[in-house]
PDB file of all heavy atoms in Angstrom:
ATOM      1  N   VAL I 317      -1.790  21.419  -6.792  1.00 97.00           N
ATOM      2  CA  VAL I 317      -1.476  20.571  -5.639  1.00 97.00           C
ATOM      3  C   VAL I 317      -1.165  21.474  -4.452  1.00 97.00           C
ATOM      4  O   VAL I 317      -0.183  22.212  -4.460  1.00 97.00           O
ATOM      5  CB  VAL I 317      -0.296  19.632  -5.938  1.00 97.00           C
ATOM      6  CG1 VAL I 317      -0.037  18.713  -4.741  1.00 97.00           C
ATOM      7  CG2 VAL I 317      -0.568  18.795  -7.189  1.00 97.00           C
ATOM      8  N   VAL I 318      -2.027  21.396  -3.444  1.00 96.00           N
ATOM      9  CA  VAL I 318      -1.925  22.273  -2.273  1.00 96.00           C
ATOM     10  C   VAL I 318      -1.113  21.581  -1.183  1.00 96.00           C
ATOM     11  O   VAL I 318      -1.325  20.403  -0.891  1.00 96.00           O
ATOM     12  CB  VAL I 318      -3.334  22.602  -1.739  1.00 96.00           C
ATOM     13  CG1 VAL I 318      -3.247  23.535  -0.537  1.00 96.00           C
ATOM     14  CG2 VAL I 318      -4.196  23.196  -2.840  1.00 96.00           C
ATOM     15  N   GLU I 319      -0.200  22.311  -0.580  1.00 95.00           N
ATOM     16  CA  GLU I 319       0.556  21.759   0.548  1.00 95.00           C
ATOM     17  C   GLU I 319      -0.356  21.682   1.776  1.00 95.00           C
ATOM     18  O   GLU I 319      -1.007  22.665   2.141  1.00 95.00           O
ATOM     19  CB  GLU I 319       1.769  22.624   0.858  1.00 95.00           C
ATOM     20  CG  GLU I 319       2.630  22.077   1.981  1.00 95.00           C
ATOM     21  CD  GLU I 319       3.842  22.931   2.280  1.00 95.00           C
ATOM     22  OE1 GLU I 319       4.046  23.943   1.585  1.00 95.00           O
ATOM     23  OE2 GLU I 319       4.590  22.578   3.224  1.00 95.00           O
ATOM     24  N   ILE I 320      -0.418  20.512   2.397  1.00 96.00           N
ATOM     25  CA  ILE I 320      -1.271  20.308   3.566  1.00 96.00           C
ATOM     26  C   ILE I 320      -0.389  20.220   4.809  1.00 96.00           C
ATOM     27  O   ILE I 320       0.288  19.210   5.037  1.00 96.00           O
ATOM     28  CB  ILE I 320      -2.120  19.030   3.422  1.00 96.00           C
ATOM     29  CG1 ILE I 320      -2.922  19.067   2.125  1.00 96.00           C
ATOM     30  CG2 ILE I 320      -3.034  18.863   4.629  1.00 96.00           C
ATOM     31  CD1 ILE I 320      -3.911  20.197   2.027  1.00 96.00           C
ATOM     32  N   ARG I 321      -0.405  21.266   5.604  1.00 94.00           N
ATOM     33  CA  ARG I 321       0.382  21.288   6.836  1.00 94.00           C
ATOM     34  C   ARG I 321      -0.358  20.569   7.950  1.00 94.00           C
ATOM     35  O   ARG I 321      -1.582  20.601   8.009  1.00 94.00           O
ATOM     36  CB  ARG I 321       0.676  22.737   7.250  1.00 94.00           C
ATOM     37  CG  ARG I 321       1.498  23.501   6.234  1.00 94.00           C
ATOM     38  CD  ARG I 321       1.855  24.881   6.751  1.00 94.00           C
ATOM     39  NE  ARG I 321       2.621  25.646   5.767  1.00 94.00           N
ATOM     40  CZ  ARG I 321       3.937  25.534   5.589  1.00 94.00           C
ATOM     41  NH1 ARG I 321       4.619  24.695   6.348  1.00 94.00           N
ATOM     42  NH2 ARG I 321       4.558  26.257   4.672  1.00 94.00           N
ATOM     43  N   GLY I 322       0.393  19.932   8.827  1.00 93.00           N
ATOM     44  CA  GLY I 322      -0.206  19.249   9.964  1.00 93.00           C
ATOM     45  C   GLY I 322      -0.606  17.815   9.697  1.00 93.00           C
ATOM     46  O   GLY I 322      -1.084  17.124  10.604  1.00 93.00           O
ATOM     47  N   GLN I 323      -0.406  17.328   8.467  1.00 94.00           N
ATOM     48  CA  GLN I 323      -0.729  15.937   8.171  1.00 94.00           C
ATOM     49  C   GLN I 323       0.350  15.024   8.734  1.00 94.00           C
ATOM     50  O   GLN I 323       1.463  15.460   9.031  1.00 94.00           O
ATOM     51  CB  GLN I 323      -0.856  15.717   6.670  1.00 94.00           C
ATOM     52  CG  GLN I 323       0.434  15.936   5.876  1.00 94.00           C
ATOM     53  CD  GLN I 323       0.314  15.433   4.443  1.00 94.00           C
ATOM     54  OE1 GLN I 323       0.154  14.237   4.204  1.00 94.00           O
ATOM     55  NE2 GLN I 323       0.387  16.361   3.490  1.00 94.00           N
ATOM     56  N   GLY I 324       0.016  13.747   8.879  1.00 91.00           N
ATOM     57  CA  GLY I 324       0.978  12.792   9.413  1.00 91.00           C
ATOM     58  C   GLY I 324       0.646  11.385   8.981  1.00 91.00           C
ATOM     59  O   GLY I 324      -0.015  11.167   7.957  1.00 91.00           O
ATOM     60  N   CYS I 325       1.075  10.426   9.777  1.00 91.00           N
ATOM     61  CA  CYS I 325       0.834   9.012   9.494  1.00 91.00           C
ATOM     62  C   CYS I 325      -0.662   8.765   9.356  1.00 91.00           C
ATOM     63  O   CYS I 325      -1.474   9.311  10.121  1.00 91.00           O
ATOM     64  CB  CYS I 325       1.418   8.176  10.634  1.00 91.00           C
ATOM     65  SG  CYS I 325       1.099   6.398  10.501  1.00 91.00           S
ATOM     66  N   CYS I 326      -1.067   7.938   8.384  1.00 94.00           N
ATOM     67  CA  CYS I 326      -2.484   7.700   8.127  1.00 94.00           C
ATOM     68  C   CYS I 326      -3.129   6.802   9.178  1.00 94.00           C
ATOM     69  O   CYS I 326      -4.356   6.783   9.314  1.00 94.00           O
ATOM     70  CB  CYS I 326      -2.673   7.074   6.752  1.00 94.00           C
ATOM     71  SG  CYS I 326      -2.053   5.375   6.621  1.00 94.00           S
ATOM     72  N   GLY I 327      -2.322   6.013   9.910  1.00 92.00           N
ATOM     73  CA  GLY I 327      -2.855   5.125  10.937  1.00 92.00           C
ATOM     74  C   GLY I 327      -3.141   3.713  10.466  1.00 92.00           C
ATOM     75  O   GLY I 327      -3.641   2.895  11.239  1.00 92.00           O
ATOM     76  N   ALA I 328      -2.819   3.400   9.201  1.00 91.00           N
ATOM     77  CA  ALA I 328      -3.130   2.073   8.667  1.00 91.00           C
ATOM     78  C   ALA I 328      -2.458   0.965   9.461  1.00 91.00           C
ATOM     79  O   ALA I 328      -3.094  -0.038   9.810  1.00 91.00           O
ATOM     80  CB  ALA I 328      -2.717   1.990   7.194  1.00 91.00           C
ATOM     81  N   LEU I 329      -1.179   1.119   9.747  1.00 88.00           N
ATOM     82  CA  LEU I 329      -0.456   0.071  10.465  1.00 88.00           C
ATOM     83  C   LEU I 329      -1.032  -0.134  11.856  1.00 88.00           C
ATOM     84  O   LEU I 329      -1.106  -1.266  12.348  1.00 88.00           O
ATOM     85  CB  LEU I 329       1.033   0.420  10.558  1.00 88.00           C
ATOM     86  CG  LEU I 329       1.807   0.471   9.234  1.00 88.00           C
ATOM     87  CD1 LEU I 329       3.269   0.825   9.503  1.00 88.00           C
ATOM     88  CD2 LEU I 329       1.714  -0.839   8.478  1.00 88.00           C
ATOM     89  N   HIS I 330      -1.448   0.940  12.495  1.00 89.00           N
ATOM     90  CA  HIS I 330      -2.031   0.831  13.829  1.00 89.00           C
ATOM     91  C   HIS I 330      -3.356   0.086  13.783  1.00 89.00           C
ATOM     92  O   HIS I 330      -3.627  -0.786  14.613  1.00 89.00           O
ATOM     93  CB  HIS I 330      -2.217   2.229  14.433  1.00 89.00           C
ATOM     94  CG  HIS I 330      -0.938   2.971  14.642  1.00 89.00           C
ATOM     95  ND1 HIS I 330      -0.212   3.491  13.592  1.00 89.00           N
ATOM     96  CD2 HIS I 330      -0.248   3.278  15.780  1.00 89.00           C
ATOM     97  CE1 HIS I 330       0.869   4.086  14.071  1.00 89.00           C
ATOM     98  NE2 HIS I 330       0.877   3.964  15.387  1.00 89.00           N
TER      99      HIS I 330
END
Side-chain angles (χ1 to χ4, degrees):
V317 183
V318 181
E319 182 179 358
I320 305 298
R321 298 185 181 277
Q323 64 168 295
C325 176
C326 69
L329 295 180
H330 297 72

